[in-house]
Amino acid sequence: LKPRGEMNPNCYNWLFHTSPFADEFYKWGHGIVDDLWTTRWQEMKNISVVIPSLEEQQHIADYLDKKCAEIDGLIELREQMIAQLTDYKQSVITEAVTKGLNPNVEFVPSGVDWIGDVPKGWRIAQTRRIVRNHLQGYYDADGYVTSGYRLLRITDLLSNGNLSLENAPFVKETPNIKDFILQPGDFCFARTGGAGNFGFVSGDIEPAVFASYLIRFRFSGQNNNYLRYYFLSYSFISEVNSLIHGGVNKNIHAENIKDTHLPLPPLSEQKSIADYLDKECKEIDDLIAIKQQKIETLKEYKKSLIFEAVTGKIEIS
């Protein structure tokens, strides 16, 4: 769109970014589903907009430039705080799963660069030594249905090593689907599209299977919550990154994951470390949630401020 003389582009740049304008733009469009929705110029030109004087348009643009820069600065500051808290959390996890909880114990070399020194009495093992079995995920050419088994996808893996089925689609039951049903204690690793990310089934879930670009691992003889924390550590991530292959579409195979190394304390110590990290990480996550809520509040305030300014709801000096 090329603005006319009575239209200040900076002012209308703000107006065109408002949610009400986006809703109106959508309303004038047409299509079968959102992904194929179309609004053409012939429809868009029917949308009514306010036209203040050019002088007032300039005031609005200048006001919003200043105020929104201030809000964006506050948002950026909180995002930096969240990044620092996230890094701190990962450092706490890495320290606990590689050094234990007692700083006064004797340390010995692990023999693995990614892990470093570990407490004496811990053993180092390849992940394959504790794998009971693994399986690549389920594929159904018929696509999604309205009910049946939930299908866990890469997008359903959470950043804390857990997973959510809230938005997972359904696939129909087939004769071989039972081989792919998730059970408590299962780990699902992404083999592409975020290779190395994983989700842990920490408790009972609704009937669900895992998609073909995931690999399900079942481990034996270890505390699964301790393993979850180790898989979140810098040590494990560094080793996984060294094994990822491919160009634009980076991927990793089950055998690569099985080639990684684990520091394995006695089971009682694994539980103590996992319990400690549950508490510490919750406190950090609570702080992150407070910062995130403040960001959402600032974003909503920014949206409201823009709309009120471009529609004359507030007086601008």
Side-chain angles (χ1 to χ4, degrees):
L1 305 181
K2 184 175 177 62
R4 291 178 173 176
E6 67 269 25
M7 182 182 181
N8 181 305
N10 291 337
C11 177
Y12 284 90
N13 180 41
W14 287 114
L15 185 147
F16 292 152
H17 278 90
T18 62
S19 295
F21 181 84
D23 293 341
E24 189 71 9
F25 187 89
Y26 181 89
K27 189 178 76 175
W28 282 92
H30 50 85
I32 301 172
V33 293
D34 284 357
D35 288 349
L36 301 175
W37 201 260
T38 301
T39 303
R40 297 184 175 89
W41 167 242
Q42 290 302 314
E43 293 111 16
M44 179 185 174
K45 69 181 183 180
N46 293 308
I47 300 173
S48 297
V49 295
V50 294
I51 308 177
S53 68
L54 276 172
E55 182 182 8
E56 192 167 0
Q57 288 181 43
Q58 188 63 56
H59 285 320
I60 291 170
D62 292 345
Y63 172 81
L64 289 175
D65 285 346
K66 179 176 181 293
K67 288 294 183 181
C68 290
E70 292 173 357
I71 297 170
D72 289 342
L74 293 172
I75 290 172
E76 183 179 1
L77 179 62
R78 281 157 180 80
E79 287 174 340
Q80 290 172 357
M81 293 177 181
I82 288 175
Q84 290 169 355
L85 284 167
T86 302
D87 287 343
Y88 173 65
K89 174 182 171 182
Q90 203 162 23
S91 296
V92 169
I93 291 172
T94 303
E95 183 74 11
V97 297
T98 60
K99 301 294 183 281
L101 304 180
N102 183 0
N104 298 318
V105 298
E106 181 182 350
F107 289 90
V108 295
S110 67
V112 180
D113 290 342
W114 321 109
I115 296 174
D117 293 346
V118 295
K120 188 175 182 179
W122 288 25
R123 69 185 181 96
I124 304 297
Q126 276 194 311
T127 301
R128 68 176 63 254
R129 301 301 178 192
I130 65 167
V131 173
R132 189 161 79 239
N133 59 62
H134 73 274
L135 182 67
Q136 189 168 308
Y138 177 78
Y139 175 74
D140 181 5
D142 291 338
Y144 303 150
V145 294
T146 56
S147 63
Y149 285 82
R150 292 278 193 179
L151 180 69
L152 180 74
R153 306 158 299 171
I154 289 176
T155 52
D156 302 313
L157 306 181
L158 304 180
S159 60
N160 61 358
N162 291 322
L163 52 85
S164 171
L165 295 174
E166 183 179 355
N167 298 314
F170 292 96
V171 290
K172 71 177 187 301
E173 183 172 358
T174 57
N176 69 330
I177 201 169
K178 297 192 185 304
D179 295 335
F180 300 90
I181 295 175
L182 290 170
Q183 299 177 7
D186 285 350
F187 287 81
C188 288
F189 282 83
R191 61 183 181 86
T192 187
N197 292 342
F198 73 95
F200 172 56
V201 184
S202 57
D204 292 332
I205 58 173
E206 62 182 297
V209 296
F210 52 103
S212 58
Y213 31 79
L214 296 173
I215 310 166
R216 188 263 292 140
F217 283 87
R218 288 177 180 159
F219 300 105
S220 60
Q222 310 301 320
N223 182 294
N224 280 326
N225 201 26
Y226 169 80
L227 293 179
R228 178 176 74 89
Y229 280 118
Y230 182 73
F231 294 146
L232 288 170
S233 71
Y234 285 126
S235 298
F236 180 76
I237 292 170
S238 296
E239 188 164 18
V240 164
N241 285 340
S242 74
L243 298 171
I244 289 176
H245 43 82
V248 176
N249 297 317
K250 298 186 182 302
N251 56 81
I252 193 166
H253 301 312
E255 293 304 314
N256 300 133
I257 294 173
K258 289 162 69 175
D259 283 340
T260 61
H261 297 81
L262 299 166
L264 296 175
L267 275 174
S268 60
E269 196 169 352
Q270 290 184 27
K271 183 179 185 309
S272 296
I273 291 170
D275 290 346
Y276 164 80
L277 288 174
D278 283 343
K279 178 178 177 296
E280 292 296 310
C281 290
K282 182 182 183 308
E283 292 177 359
I284 299 171
D285 287 341
D286 287 346
L287 289 174
I288 290 175
I290 292 170
K291 305 295 182 190
Q292 190 61 55
Q293 182 56 53
K294 185 60 178 177
I295 289 174
E296 295 306 315
T297 301
L298 286 166
K299 287 181 177 179
E300 288 303 315
Y301 172 63
K302 178 181 174 181
K303 286 182 183 178
S304 174
L305 183 69
I306 294 170
F307 176 71
E308 291 178 351
V310 298
T311 56
K313 303 277 191 305
I314 55 175
E315 184 176 351
I316 297 172
S317 57

